[in-house]
Amino acid sequence: MAEHRTMQRGALLDAARSLLSEGGTEALTFPALAERTGLARSSVYEYFRSRAAVVEELCAVDFPVWAAEVENAMRRAETPEAKIEAYVRRQLGLVGDRRHRAVVAISASELDAGAREKIRAAHGGLIAMIVEALGDLGHTQPRLAAMLLQGSVDAAVRRIELGVAEEPDVIADTAVAMVLRGVSG
């Protein structure tokens, strides 16, 4: 029985990822989750009490995987500059990933305070990854520099998601060049 519930919960989360990446937060509804998984709508409520609870669970499951990919890319880099470049490129490289699209859609949605706090904490962990590299470059306020650097990454993510004239590689190259020039001081 527990294994069945775990599988159903996983299917609901997978359906939520798909709905978020296809149609944004408006697409994430309990009737849509029920339809995607073949469950009765009332059964969805047995797993999640609200849309915010689905969002919280997605953040708890997906964000650590995404952050680990960024961290692994940084670990392979040898210099502070290379770590910063890996940090930027890996995040931008994940833009097309369903987990990332779901996290971005979630971030833009209207969430309750608990869900917002979990997202803030997860983003704080991501920013913490780059603080040491910025400190190694001699920044006197590496945490502030990390937050500003992440703002540049977030802007590049939005540009890629818009699907505008520039190719994602051009956006990534430009973002890396701007960030590296900015952090070198």
Side-chain angles (χ1 to χ4, degrees), residues 2-174:
E3 184 178 325
H4 175 73
R5 287 192 60 78
T6 300
M7 288 175 52
Q8 291 290 60
R9 189 177 198 85
L12 285 164
L13 291 175
D14 196 45
R17 282 181 201 98
S18 294
L19 289 165
L20 285 165
S21 65
E22 293 165 11
T25 54
E26 298 79 32
L28 180 60
T29 65
F30 278 28
L33 284 170
E35 183 179 323
R36 289 278 174 112
T37 58
L39 292 172
R41 183 175 166 186
S42 60
S43 295
V44 176
Y45 284 97
E46 292 177 27
Y47 293 89
F48 299 102
R49 69 187 185 291
S50 66
R51 212 166 72 137
V54 176
V55 166
E56 287 181 45
E57 183 77 14
L58 280 173
C59 285
V61 171
D62 291 347
F63 199 88
V65 174
W66 179 33
E69 291 186 35
V70 174
E71 189 172 29
N72 288 336
M74 290 177 65
R75 192 175 296 122
R76 291 188 299 269
E78 295 182 14
T79 66
E81 292 87 353
K83 288 181 185 307
I84 291 166
E85 181 171 354
Y87 177 86
V88 173
R89 286 196 187 277
R90 190 64 205 125
Q91 284 188 69
L92 297 180
L94 289 168
V95 170
D97 184 290
R98 275 187 335 138
R99 290 168 303 174
H100 178 265
R101 286 205 302 259
V103 169
V104 169
I106 289 165
S107 299
S109 69
E110 301 144 16
L111 302 173
D112 64 25
R116 283 199 185 285
E117 185 52 40
K118 287 184 180 185
I119 290 171
R120 265 193 292 279
H123 276 271
L126 190 62
I127 289 169
M129 289 181 204
I130 200 68
V131 170
E132 183 179 344
L134 291 164
D136 291 346
L137 285 176
H139 279 274
T140 57
Q141 294 186 317
R143 179 130 179 93
L144 173 60
M147 288 186 276
L148 295 173
L149 186 155
Q150 184 61 45
S152 295
V153 172
D154 294 343
V157 165
R158 285 190 300 277
R159 188 77 183 166
I160 290 170
E161 287 178 336
L162 284 174
V164 293
E166 305 92 2
E167 291 294 319
D169 288 344
V170 172
I171 295 169
D173 291 345
T174 303

